[in-house]
Amino acid sequence: AQSVTQPDIHITVSEGASLELRCNYSYGATPYLFWYVQSPGQGLQLLLKYFSGDTLVQGIKGFEAEFKRSQSSFNLRKPSVHWSDAAEYFCAVAPGGGSQGNLIFGKGTKLSVKP
Amino acid sequence: EPEVTQTPSHQVTQMGQEVILRCVPISNHLYFYWYRQILGQKVEFLVSFYNNEISEKSEIFDDQFSVERPDGSNFTLKIRSTKLEDSAMYFCASSDRVENIQYFGAGTRLSVL
């Protein structure tokens, strides 16, 4: 069955430190891949997406993600975390190359930022 | 920036009651979705809607659930007879193409007592 795994439930990093949030997916073909962020009381905001082409994609707020087909991974990175990045981060997959509308989400990783 | 609007932000209801969750998608979007997130669990797809009909639904979306686009702007999710396990955050999303980005609302927290 198609699935998305975010192995880290909760991560704490110091402000200014680098960040990597892991995401692995289980799907035969290359799906469309997304990272969303949810701040308390807010909806899901798209950080970045991968459809095809360059495997390193840039997003908003200084985030980037790298698609690695061999590892079925789409990890999210940021070189220097800001306190305002504290939120919950969701990796999502659109199977069928997006021709199938529904998104499959991981369980999310909650990010805490220490001053 | 256009956004998806959901009302109410929090709905409390008694078990067995009907609830309607409302969403106003982005105005030029054609594809509409409902997802839910039970506390502590992942966001799960419920249903997608296009051209005034359901295009896909998950096994969660049983006969107790229905969706409707009653006019040109609203998109609603109705739960006919709520159960305790329907307590969750419900998210509406919309996109302009099926393969394009889905924009999410802030969600409606449904509490069934």
Side-chain angles (χ1 to χ4, degrees):
Chain A
Q2 301 152 5
S3 65
V4 178
T5 301
Q6 292 181 247
D8 304 304
I9 297 171
H10 190 185
I11 283 182
T12 300
V13 299
S14 297
E15 191 168 16
S18 64
L19 171 71
E20 182 168 30
L21 302 182
R22 295 181 289 165
C23 173
N24 292 93
Y25 66 90
S26 169
Y27 185 70
T30 300
Y32 287 3
L33 298 160
F34 306 82
W35 275 99
Y36 284 86
V37 61
Q38 184 182 27
S39 298
Q42 303 295 311
L44 296 163
Q45 181 184 22
L46 181 74
L47 284 176
L48 47 76
K49 65 185 187 296
Y50 173 79
F51 286 177
S52 65
D54 192 348
T55 56
L56 183 64
V57 293
Q58 303 297 320
I60 62 171
K61 305 184 180 187
F63 285 92
E64 66 178 27
E66 186 172 12
F67 168 60
K68 293 186 177 179
R69 185 190 307 273
S70 61
Q71 298 175 19
S72 296
S73 69
F74 188 57
N75 294 347
L76 181 71
R77 302 195 294 246
K78 186 168 184 179
S80 177
V81 168
H82 187 262
W83 63 267
S84 60
D85 293 325
E88 190 150 22
Y89 292 80
F90 294 92
C91 181
V93 154
S99 61
Q100 192 174 318
N102 59 300
L103 294 178
I104 298 172
F105 284 84
K107 281 193 169 184
T109 298
K110 185 175 181 180
L111 173 66
S112 298
V113 181
K114 290 190 301 188
Chain B
E1 184 177 314
E3 59 180 23
V4 176
T5 305
Q6 290 186 244
T7 55
S9 56
H10 190 190
Q11 174 86 49
V12 181
T13 189
Q14 296 290 325
M15 190 170 57
Q17 295 296 304
E18 174 184 286
V19 294
I20 298 176
L21 309 183
R22 302 181 190 280
C23 170
V24 179
I26 294 172
S27 63
N28 64 337
H29 284 187
L30 302 175
Y31 296 84
F32 314 111
Y33 309 86
W34 283 101
Y35 293 81
R36 80 172 185 190
Q37 183 183 27
I38 295 172
L39 189 63
Q41 299 187 24
K42 60 176 68 177
V43 177
E44 302 171 290
F45 167 75
L46 292 178
V47 65
S48 58
F49 191 86
Y50 169 71
N51 200 26
N52 280 319
E53 60 183 28
I54 291 172
S55 45
E56 191 174 358
K57 60 183 181 179
S58 72
E59 59 188 25
I60 302 168
F61 193 87
D62 62 22
D63 292 344
Q64 291 299 311
F65 291 90
S66 62
V67 289
E68 192 179 31
R69 189 154 163 80
D71 54 42
S73 59
N74 289 283
F75 179 51
T76 61
L77 174 70
K78 182 195 290 187
I79 308 175
R80 235 176 297 279
S81 176
T82 50
K83 303 189 278 284
L84 294 176
E85 54 265 38
D86 293 327
S87 295
M89 180 74 89
Y90 288 81
F91 292 105
C92 173
S94 70
S95 67
D96 59 353
R97 297 200 314 257
V98 68
E99 68 274 15
N100 214 338
I101 299 163
Q102 293 182 26
Y103 293 87
F104 285 78
T108 293
R109 180 167 297 285
L110 176 64
S111 299
V112 182
L113 306 179

Short mmCIF file of all heavy atoms in Angstrom, two decimals, chain A residues 50-80:
data_model
loop_
_atom_site.label_atom_id
_atom_site.label_comp_id
_atom_site.label_asym_id
_atom_site.label_seq_id
_atom_site.Cartn_x
_atom_site.Cartn_y
_atom_site.Cartn_z
N TYR A 50 7.82 18.87 -5.44
CA TYR A 50 8.61 18.26 -6.49
C TYR A 50 7.67 17.53 -7.43
O TYR A 50 6.93 16.64 -7.02
CB TYR A 50 9.65 17.28 -5.92
CG TYR A 50 10.37 16.52 -7.00
CD1 TYR A 50 11.40 17.13 -7.71
CD2 TYR A 50 10.00 15.22 -7.35
CE1 TYR A 50 12.06 16.45 -8.73
CE2 TYR A 50 10.64 14.55 -8.36
CZ TYR A 50 11.66 15.17 -9.04
OH TYR A 50 12.31 14.50 -10.06
N PHE A 51 7.75 17.91 -8.70
CA PHE A 51 6.99 17.20 -9.73
C PHE A 51 7.92 16.42 -10.64
O PHE A 51 7.70 15.25 -10.93
CB PHE A 51 6.16 18.20 -10.55
CG PHE A 51 4.96 18.76 -9.83
CD1 PHE A 51 4.16 19.72 -10.45
CD2 PHE A 51 4.61 18.36 -8.55
CE1 PHE A 51 3.05 20.25 -9.80
CE2 PHE A 51 3.51 18.88 -7.89
CZ PHE A 51 2.73 19.84 -8.52
N SER A 52 8.98 17.07 -11.11
CA SER A 52 9.95 16.42 -11.98
C SER A 52 11.14 17.36 -12.13
O SER A 52 11.14 18.47 -11.60
CB SER A 52 9.34 16.12 -13.36
OG SER A 52 9.02 17.33 -14.02
N GLY A 53 12.18 16.92 -12.83
CA GLY A 53 13.32 17.79 -13.11
C GLY A 53 14.34 17.79 -12.00
O GLY A 53 14.62 16.75 -11.40
N ASP A 54 14.89 18.94 -11.73
CA ASP A 54 15.95 19.09 -10.74
C ASP A 54 15.51 18.50 -9.41
O ASP A 54 14.46 18.85 -8.87
CB ASP A 54 16.30 20.58 -10.57
CG ASP A 54 17.58 20.79 -9.79
OD1 ASP A 54 18.08 19.83 -9.18
OD2 ASP A 54 18.08 21.93 -9.79
N THR A 55 16.33 17.61 -8.86
CA THR A 55 15.93 16.90 -7.65
C THR A 55 16.08 17.73 -6.38
O THR A 55 15.62 17.32 -5.33
CB THR A 55 16.73 15.60 -7.50
OG1 THR A 55 18.12 15.92 -7.50
CG2 THR A 55 16.41 14.64 -8.64
N LEU A 56 16.73 18.86 -6.48
CA LEU A 56 16.85 19.77 -5.33
C LEU A 56 15.89 20.93 -5.58
O LEU A 56 16.06 21.67 -6.55
CB LEU A 56 18.28 20.27 -5.17
CG LEU A 56 18.54 21.16 -3.96
CD1 LEU A 56 18.33 20.39 -2.66
CD2 LEU A 56 19.97 21.71 -4.00
N VAL A 57 14.90 21.04 -4.73
CA VAL A 57 13.89 22.08 -4.94
C VAL A 57 13.94 23.10 -3.81
O VAL A 57 14.17 22.75 -2.65
CB VAL A 57 12.47 21.50 -5.06
CG1 VAL A 57 12.34 20.69 -6.32
CG2 VAL A 57 12.10 20.64 -3.86
N GLN A 58 13.73 24.34 -4.19
CA GLN A 58 13.73 25.42 -3.22
C GLN A 58 12.30 25.80 -2.89
O GLN A 58 11.41 25.74 -3.75
CB GLN A 58 14.46 26.64 -3.80
CG GLN A 58 15.88 26.37 -4.23
CD GLN A 58 16.78 25.97 -3.07
OE1 GLN A 58 16.69 26.53 -1.98
NE2 GLN A 58 17.66 24.99 -3.30
N GLY A 59 12.08 26.17 -1.64
CA GLY A 59 10.74 26.56 -1.23
C GLY A 59 10.75 27.91 -0.55
O GLY A 59 11.73 28.65 -0.61
N ILE A 60 9.67 28.17 0.14
CA ILE A 60 9.56 29.44 0.86
C ILE A 60 10.27 29.34 2.19
O ILE A 60 10.61 28.23 2.65
CB ILE A 60 8.08 29.83 1.07
CG1 ILE A 60 7.36 28.79 1.93
CG2 ILE A 60 7.37 30.01 -0.27
CD1 ILE A 60 5.98 29.22 2.37
N LYS A 61 10.52 30.49 2.79
CA LYS A 61 11.10 30.59 4.15
C LYS A 61 12.47 29.95 4.24
O LYS A 61 12.90 29.56 5.33
CB LYS A 61 10.17 29.96 5.20
CG LYS A 61 8.77 30.52 5.19
CD LYS A 61 7.93 29.92 6.33
CE LYS A 61 6.52 30.49 6.30
NZ LYS A 61 5.72 30.07 7.45
N GLY A 62 13.19 29.85 3.13
CA GLY A 62 14.55 29.32 3.15
C GLY A 62 14.67 27.82 3.20
O GLY A 62 15.75 27.27 3.41
N PHE A 63 13.58 27.10 3.01
CA PHE A 63 13.59 25.64 3.02
C PHE A 63 13.94 25.09 1.65
O PHE A 63 13.65 25.71 0.62
CB PHE A 63 12.23 25.08 3.46
CG PHE A 63 11.97 25.21 4.93
CD1 PHE A 63 11.32 26.32 5.43
CD2 PHE A 63 12.38 24.21 5.80
CE1 PHE A 63 11.08 26.45 6.80
CE2 PHE A 63 12.14 24.32 7.16
CZ PHE A 63 11.49 25.45 7.66
N GLU A 64 14.55 23.92 1.66
CA GLU A 64 14.79 23.17 0.45
C GLU A 64 14.58 21.69 0.73
O GLU A 64 14.55 21.26 1.89
CB GLU A 64 16.22 23.40 -0.08
CG GLU A 64 17.30 22.87 0.83
CD GLU A 64 18.69 23.06 0.24
OE1 GLU A 64 18.91 24.00 -0.55
OE2 GLU A 64 19.57 22.24 0.60
N ALA A 65 14.39 20.93 -0.33
CA ALA A 65 14.23 19.49 -0.17
C ALA A 65 14.90 18.79 -1.35
O ALA A 65 14.96 19.34 -2.45
CB ALA A 65 12.75 19.10 -0.09
N GLU A 66 15.38 17.61 -1.08
CA GLU A 66 16.05 16.84 -2.12
C GLU A 66 15.34 15.52 -2.33
O GLU A 66 15.14 14.75 -1.39
CB GLU A 66 17.51 16.59 -1.77
CG GLU A 66 18.29 15.91 -2.90
CD GLU A 66 19.77 15.84 -2.64
OE1 GLU A 66 20.21 16.10 -1.49
OE2 GLU A 66 20.50 15.51 -3.59
N PHE A 67 14.97 15.26 -3.56
CA PHE A 67 14.35 13.99 -3.94
C PHE A 67 15.46 13.00 -4.30
O PHE A 67 16.30 13.28 -5.15
CB PHE A 67 13.42 14.20 -5.14
CG PHE A 67 12.95 12.93 -5.79
CD1 PHE A 67 12.23 11.99 -5.06
CD2 PHE A 67 13.22 12.66 -7.12
CE1 PHE A 67 11.80 10.81 -5.65
CE2 PHE A 67 12.78 11.49 -7.72
CZ PHE A 67 12.07 10.57 -6.98
N LYS A 68 15.44 11.86 -3.63
CA LYS A 68 16.40 10.80 -3.94
C LYS A 68 15.61 9.54 -4.29
O LYS A 68 15.08 8.85 -3.41
CB LYS A 68 17.33 10.54 -2.75
CG LYS A 68 18.27 11.69 -2.46
CD LYS A 68 19.28 11.34 -1.37
CE LYS A 68 20.26 12.47 -1.13
NZ LYS A 68 21.24 12.18 -0.07
N ARG A 69 15.57 9.26 -5.58
CA ARG A 69 14.77 8.13 -6.06
C ARG A 69 15.27 6.82 -5.48
O ARG A 69 14.47 5.97 -5.08
CB ARG A 69 14.81 8.08 -7.59
CG ARG A 69 13.93 7.02 -8.21
CD ARG A 69 14.23 6.88 -9.70
NE ARG A 69 14.16 8.15 -10.37
CZ ARG A 69 13.04 8.67 -10.87
NH1 ARG A 69 11.91 8.00 -10.76
NH2 ARG A 69 13.06 9.83 -11.49
N SER A 70 16.58 6.66 -5.41
CA SER A 70 17.14 5.39 -4.95
C SER A 70 16.79 5.10 -3.50
O SER A 70 16.73 3.93 -3.09
CB SER A 70 18.67 5.41 -5.11
OG SER A 70 19.23 6.45 -4.32
N GLN A 71 16.54 6.15 -2.73
CA GLN A 71 16.20 5.97 -1.31
C GLN A 71 14.72 6.21 -1.05
O GLN A 71 14.29 6.14 0.10
CB GLN A 71 17.04 6.92 -0.45
CG GLN A 71 18.53 6.67 -0.56
CD GLN A 71 19.36 7.69 0.21
OE1 GLN A 71 18.87 8.38 1.08
NE2 GLN A 71 20.64 7.78 -0.13
N SER A 72 13.96 6.52 -2.10
CA SER A 72 12.54 6.87 -1.93
C SER A 72 12.37 7.90 -0.81
O SER A 72 11.53 7.77 0.08
CB SER A 72 11.69 5.62 -1.61
OG SER A 72 11.72 4.73 -2.69
N SER A 73 13.22 8.93 -0.88
CA SER A 73 13.18 9.92 0.18
C SER A 73 12.99 11.33 -0.38
O SER A 73 13.30 11.61 -1.55
CB SER A 73 14.47 9.88 1.01
OG SER A 73 15.58 10.34 0.25
N PHE A 74 12.51 12.18 0.46
CA PHE A 74 12.29 13.60 0.10
C PHE A 74 12.48 14.39 1.39
O PHE A 74 11.53 14.84 2.01
CB PHE A 74 10.89 13.77 -0.50
CG PHE A 74 10.63 15.14 -1.09
CD1 PHE A 74 11.44 15.65 -2.09
CD2 PHE A 74 9.53 15.89 -0.68
CE1 PHE A 74 11.19 16.90 -2.64
CE2 PHE A 74 9.27 17.14 -1.24
CZ PHE A 74 10.10 17.64 -2.22
N ASN A 75 13.72 14.54 1.80
CA ASN A 75 14.03 15.18 3.08
C ASN A 75 14.03 16.69 2.97
O ASN A 75 14.52 17.27 1.99
CB ASN A 75 15.38 14.69 3.61
CG ASN A 75 15.35 13.21 3.96
OD1 ASN A 75 14.28 12.59 4.04
ND2 ASN A 75 16.53 12.64 4.15
N LEU A 76 13.54 17.31 4.00
CA LEU A 76 13.44 18.77 4.07
C LEU A 76 14.61 19.31 4.86
O LEU A 76 14.95 18.78 5.92
CB LEU A 76 12.12 19.16 4.75
CG LEU A 76 11.82 20.66 4.88
CD1 LEU A 76 11.48 21.26 3.52
CD2 LEU A 76 10.65 20.87 5.85
N ARG A 77 15.20 20.40 4.38
CA ARG A 77 16.37 20.96 5.05
C ARG A 77 16.26 22.47 5.15
O ARG A 77 15.59 23.14 4.34
CB ARG A 77 17.66 20.60 4.29
CG ARG A 77 17.89 19.11 4.13
CD ARG A 77 19.31 18.83 3.70
NE ARG A 77 19.59 19.34 2.36
CZ ARG A 77 19.86 18.57 1.31
NH1 ARG A 77 19.84 17.25 1.46
NH2 ARG A 77 20.15 19.09 0.15
N LYS A 78 16.94 22.98 6.16
CA LYS A 78 17.11 24.43 6.29
C LYS A 78 18.45 24.66 6.96
O LYS A 78 18.74 24.05 7.99
CB LYS A 78 15.97 25.05 7.09
CG LYS A 78 16.05 26.58 7.12
CD LYS A 78 14.79 27.21 7.67
CE LYS A 78 14.89 28.74 7.56
NZ LYS A 78 13.68 29.43 8.05
N PRO A 79 19.29 25.52 6.40
CA PRO A 79 20.64 25.69 6.94
C PRO A 79 20.68 26.36 8.30
O PRO A 79 21.56 26.08 9.11
CB PRO A 79 21.37 26.53 5.88
CG PRO A 79 20.33 27.06 4.99
CD PRO A 79 19.09 26.25 5.15
N SER A 80 19.72 27.24 8.58
CA SER A 80 19.76 27.98 9.84
C SER A 80 18.33 28.23 10.30
O SER A 80 17.60 29.00 9.67
CB SER A 80 20.51 29.30 9.66
OG SER A 80 20.49 30.06 10.86
#
